[in-house]
Amino acid sequence: GAVVSQHPSRVICKSGTSVKIECRSLDFQATTMFWYRQFPKQSLMLMATSNEGSKATYEQGVEKDKFLINHASLTLSTLTVTSAHPEDSSFYICSAPQTGANEKLFFGSGTQLSVL
Amino acid sequence: GENVEQHPSTLSVQEGDSAVIKCTYSDSASNYFPWYKQELGKGPQLIIDIRSNVGEKKDQRIAVTLNKTAKHFSLHITETQPEDSAVYFCAATYNNAGNMLTFGGGTRLMVKP
């Protein structure tokens, strides 16, 4: 299947710092990418939709100033957690749809963020 | 909006046995049903999917069945192996778009050697 690369896989940072997570579609272009948050033993929660060339669309309750999304190109979306606090610690996952007659959604490998 | 329920939440089987995970959905307009496998500390991996124009799809030891009338679909894993141990998520959507995918709560499958 298609490959979605996500980096870093794990990051530990101090409270108050910002952390950037990258999501790349390696063998296809994606005008749209999605960012999720996952708490332990829970399902995926959609945070926002990243749109190439325009502003991201955030789900209700997600602070857009806290979670900055930039879709710089057709293969790259970044999520920046600004002024991170311990409650932002979580597993963040991106995904990208491989469009076509039978569109499928592929996920990145996830980023475990720990804020001290 | 769509609501997807998944059962059971945990499933323990002996190596070699079969495992079945069931999901129900609420929106009759849903037409695409993927299944994802998530190993610890990793992102979900698409393992099989089915669209509403077919009732069953098989890929080696994995099969998915869809009953549109009853609005439920199931994942069947035969001859389970320890490496099948993971969390499995079902999902449903009506337009293929990732932002419209509604996920089930997940099933933790444990295959005992």
Side-chain angles (χ1 to χ4, degrees):
Chain A
V3 178
V4 175
S5 176
Q6 184 175 343
H7 293 282
S9 59
R10 179 179 293 272
V11 59
I12 301 172
C13 69
K14 293 182 178 180
S15 186
T17 60
S18 294
V19 174
K20 180 185 284 189
I21 303 169
E22 290 190 351
C23 182
R24 295 179 185 273
S25 55
L26 294 187
D27 51 0
F28 64 100
Q29 294 183 332
T31 56
T32 302
M33 292 185 181
F34 307 99
W35 289 95
Y36 303 80
R37 186 171 180 176
Q38 186 178 36
F39 293 103
K41 298 185 178 181
Q42 292 189 21
S43 191
L44 293 84
M45 182 183 73
L46 180 66
M47 297 175 64
T49 301
S50 173
N51 304 299
E52 191 269 335
S54 63
K55 292 182 180 180
T57 305
Y58 291 82
E59 296 299 303
Q60 191 172 9
V62 179
E63 298 177 60
K64 61 180 180 181
D65 295 330
K66 158 69 79 175
F67 300 101
L68 298 180
I69 292 172
N70 182 30
H71 201 129
S73 73
L74 288 172
T75 58
L76 173 64
S77 175
T78 59
L79 168 68
T80 301
V81 184
T82 62
S83 187
H85 291 284
E87 57 265 30
D88 299 323
S89 298
S90 189
F91 193 58
Y92 293 88
I93 313 171
C94 70
S95 71
Q98 184 182 39
T99 57
N102 294 308
E103 181 171 312
K104 297 176 186 286
L105 188 68
F106 295 95
F107 286 85
S109 54
T111 298
Q112 182 64 53
L113 171 63
S114 299
V115 185
L116 304 178
Chain B
E2 175 68 280
N3 181 49
V4 177
E5 295 192 358
Q6 184 171 345
H7 298 281
S9 56
T10 59
L11 178 60
S12 182
V13 300
Q14 205 67 39
E15 182 178 0
D17 289 349
S18 295
V20 181
I21 302 170
K22 298 181 179 181
C23 289
T24 59
Y25 61 99
S26 61
D27 191 344
S28 57
S30 289
N31 59 7
Y32 176 59
F33 309 91
W35 285 88
Y36 291 89
K37 174 184 180 182
Q38 186 178 27
E39 298 177 340
L40 189 63
K42 297 184 179 180
Q45 176 190 6
L46 179 65
I47 56 172
I48 195 168
D49 56 9
I50 192 167
R51 299 180 192 271
S52 60
N53 57 344
V54 297
E56 183 174 359
K57 185 176 178 180
K58 190 174 182 180
D59 183 4
Q60 298 182 340
R61 296 186 297 110
I62 295 173
V64 57
T65 58
L66 170 65
N67 184 327
K68 288 188 291 182
T69 302
K71 288 188 284 187
H72 67 69
F73 56 112
S74 301
L75 177 71
H76 304 252
I77 305 174
T78 58
E79 301 173 29
T80 54
Q81 301 166 3
E83 50 265 37
D84 294 330
S85 297
V87 178
Y88 292 81
F89 290 99
C90 63
T93 184
Y94 63 85
N95 68 352
N96 285 330
N99 63 332
M100 300 304 291
L101 262 182
T102 301
F103 289 91
T107 296
R108 185 171 300 276
L109 174 64
M110 294 169 284
V111 180
K112 293 182 282 189

